[in-house]
Amino acid sequence: MEPDSSDAVRNLHPPETEAEEVEVIYTDRPTLHNHRLAFSNNFNRGGDCVVCKQQITGPHYSCPSCPKVFIHHYPCFEVSDHIQHHPFHPQHTLTLSDAHALIHSSPDSDTDSEDLYLGCGVCSNDFDADGGYVYSCDECPFYMDVKCAYLSLTNCKSHDHQPSPLHRHPLILCDKNKNFCYNCTCCDLPIEIEGGSLYACLQCRALLHKSCANLPQKMEHPLHPSHPLVLFYDCILFTCQVCSGIFQGFCYHCFECSFYMDVCCASLKPKENNKGYKLCADLQNVIGHLLHPQHFLRFRHSSRLFKFDQILPCGACLQYSRGFVFECEQCRWHIDVGCAFKKYTP
Ligand SMILES: [Zn+2]
Ligand SMILES: [Zn+2]
Ligand SMILES: [Zn+2]
Ligand SMILES: [Zn+2]
Ligand SMILES: [Zn+2]
Ligand SMILES: [Zn+2]
Ligand SMILES: [Zn+2]
Ligand SMILES: [Zn+2]
């Protein structure tokens, strides 16, 4: 018997009278949670699914004794406990495992051994120390989060390992699983902005938009004209010196100057939040600004300000800029690009 949604909700609390008592459907799923789980059709219970860590938005299970335990009815409650011959790791059997337990059972070591990589082997997402479920290989240190394990590989046969001339590794064409959200490992934007198709690179541990898989390995860039920039990928955190955002993963890098630029800023295509594009397309070299009306301000990189003994912060936000700024040479005053284009009421 399927309860309707209002009954299912009411019965998560003890009924007030015998007459109101309606049966709630309870189910056991010991590999996911060690208490009995109650089914609900309600779309608005809130909370994140303990399997995929995404928000509950439909029929789901919850634990009457653990207030934070929710599991999507589909596909999270129904994911397999074991997967064999998965296209991303066909050689061994994968077992559904608790990420928290994996993190705490891994031997402490500060060596940089590849063997100790504890994140998704497909998209590089770090596992959540607060929980979540992942697939771990029974025989070797390979891990994969649930949403990557359930990427659709229906196109695999015809397009499998189709190389992009600009990406050094074999790429696997996939379609997103419509129940999950995926972001591009390279530009961090949702996969949907280029339809639902994406490439997986198991060497880079990256899910990529088609356009991101085709990024040039080397480019001349107007925001760093002195040297060519090289596409660089590592699991380090870096600060983009154009937009001051902190990123992990792909960047354009000048080794000589230790200059970093994230791929959105480097891309000369118009995209949301692409300050690099704005800088190149819209900016004049010299502007007037309400916050410093007495003189014109000149566009330059903040490293050029270091010639002064005393480095001053941005005149608007009072933070020390690491990117591009507009500077008044007479007053040794500057404003970073982000602040220069915020709206100020005089
Ligand atoms: Zn889920
Ligand atoms: Zn529980
Ligand atoms: Zn993943
Ligand atoms: Zn394995
Ligand atoms: Zn991308
Ligand atoms: Zn790659
Ligand atoms: Zn940037
Ligand atoms: Zn340089």
Side-chain angles (χ1 to χ4, degrees):
M1 189 196 100
E2 287 273 307
D4 75 41
S5 55
S6 54
D7 287 341
V9 173
R10 200 179 309 132
N11 279 276
L12 291 175
H13 309 286
E16 314 236 293
T17 66
E18 285 296 302
E20 282 184 16
E21 195 173 343
V22 179
E23 200 187 341
V24 177
I25 295 175
Y26 289 100
T27 318
D28 286 318
R29 182 69 209 267
T31 40
L32 292 180
H33 193 66
N34 50 16
H35 301 135
R36 308 192 80 189
L37 297 165
F39 179 78
S40 166
N41 255 320
N42 190 337
F43 279 68
N44 297 311
R45 281 295 306 275
D48 287 344
C49 169
V50 296
V51 176
C52 67
K53 307 302 281 180
Q54 297 183 359
Q55 211 195 331
I56 291 289
T57 53
H60 63 273
Y61 293 85
S62 60
C63 175
S65 353
C66 305
K68 285 185 173 169
V69 170
F70 300 96
I71 300 172
H72 287 117
H73 169 57
Y74 183 81
C76 297
F77 187 79
E78 294 178 4
V79 294
S80 316
D81 290 348
H82 300 279
I83 300 180
Q84 278 173 332
H85 311 297
H86 193 286
F88 292 153
H89 197 74
Q91 61 271 45
H92 302 132
T93 301
L94 304 169
T95 299
L96 190 64
S97 317
D98 182 340
H100 178 81
L102 278 178
I103 289 168
H104 290 278
S105 68
S106 75
D108 261 349
S109 168
D110 35 32
T111 60
D112 282 332
S113 165
E114 281 278 296
D115 288 356
L116 290 168
Y117 179 73
L118 258 185
C120 177
V122 179
C123 72
S124 301
N125 272 350
D126 288 332
F127 293 155
D128 195 336
D130 301 335
Y133 278 83
V134 300
Y135 284 98
S136 69
C137 177
D138 291 357
E139 288 170 60
C140 73
F142 176 84
Y143 309 94
M144 181 161 48
D145 50 28
V146 171
K147 63 181 188 172
C148 287
Y150 283 83
L151 277 166
S152 157
L153 299 161
T154 45
N155 289 328
C156 230
K157 283 214 177 74
S158 49
H159 300 279
D160 191 8
H161 297 103
Q162 188 179 61
S164 149
L166 291 169
H167 194 91
R168 278 165 287 180
H169 310 125
L171 296 169
I172 305 168
L173 184 65
C174 317
D175 286 313
K176 65 170 287 208
N177 180 313
K178 63 178 178 2
N179 297 292
F180 298 126
C181 307
Y182 299 85
N183 278 23
C184 173
T185 315
C186 183
C187 67
D188 207 33
L189 295 170
I191 288 296
E192 284 89 343
I193 63 168
E194 289 184 15
S197 293
L198 59 131
Y199 284 111
C201 175
L202 298 180
Q203 273 95 331
C204 291
R205 296 190 188 111
L207 297 179
L208 301 167
H209 289 118
K210 200 169 182 181
S211 67
C212 289
N214 282 302
L215 285 172
Q217 294 295 316
K218 209 174 195 187
M219 67 156 83
E220 307 273 340
H221 202 284
L223 294 179
H224 190 79
S226 29
H227 307 110
L229 301 176
V230 176
L231 183 64
F232 183 66
Y233 181 69
D234 201 350
C235 282
I236 53 157
L237 286 175
F238 66 91
T239 304
C240 169
Q241 287 169 39
V242 175
C243 69
S244 303
I246 295 172
F247 297 89
Q248 185 169 25
F250 290 81
C251 63
Y252 279 98
H253 181 47
C254 172
F255 289 89
E256 241 172 300
C257 307
S258 295
F259 176 89
Y260 292 90
M261 186 171 359
D262 76 81
V263 292
C264 285
C265 282
S267 145
L268 298 177
K269 287 181 293 183
K271 258 187 198 167
E272 204 187 342
N273 298 328
N274 188 348
K275 272 194 191 143
Y277 173 75
K278 278 213 184 110
L279 286 172
C280 294
D282 304 341
L283 294 193
Q284 307 98 318
N285 240 338
V286 175
I287 62 165
H289 200 280
L290 278 175
L291 291 182
H292 194 78
Q294 58 272 46
H295 301 119
F296 286 111
L297 306 174
R298 195 170 288 280
F299 178 63
R300 61 172 25 138
H301 192 262
S302 61
S303 58
R304 294 285 309 281
L305 302 168
F306 285 32
K307 65 188 173 190
F308 302 119
D309 297 338
Q310 203 192 356
I311 303 155
L312 296 169
C314 164
C317 67
L318 305 180
Q319 307 286 315
Y320 289 89
S321 323
R322 292 200 51 195
F324 289 88
V325 301
F326 288 97
E327 183 199 26
C328 171
E329 286 173 352
Q330 278 131 295
C331 306
R332 299 182 173 191
W333 186 92
H334 71 268
I335 182 166
D336 60 49
V337 167
C339 291
F341 293 99
K342 278 183 194 144
K343 291 228 164 60
Y344 288 99
T345 20

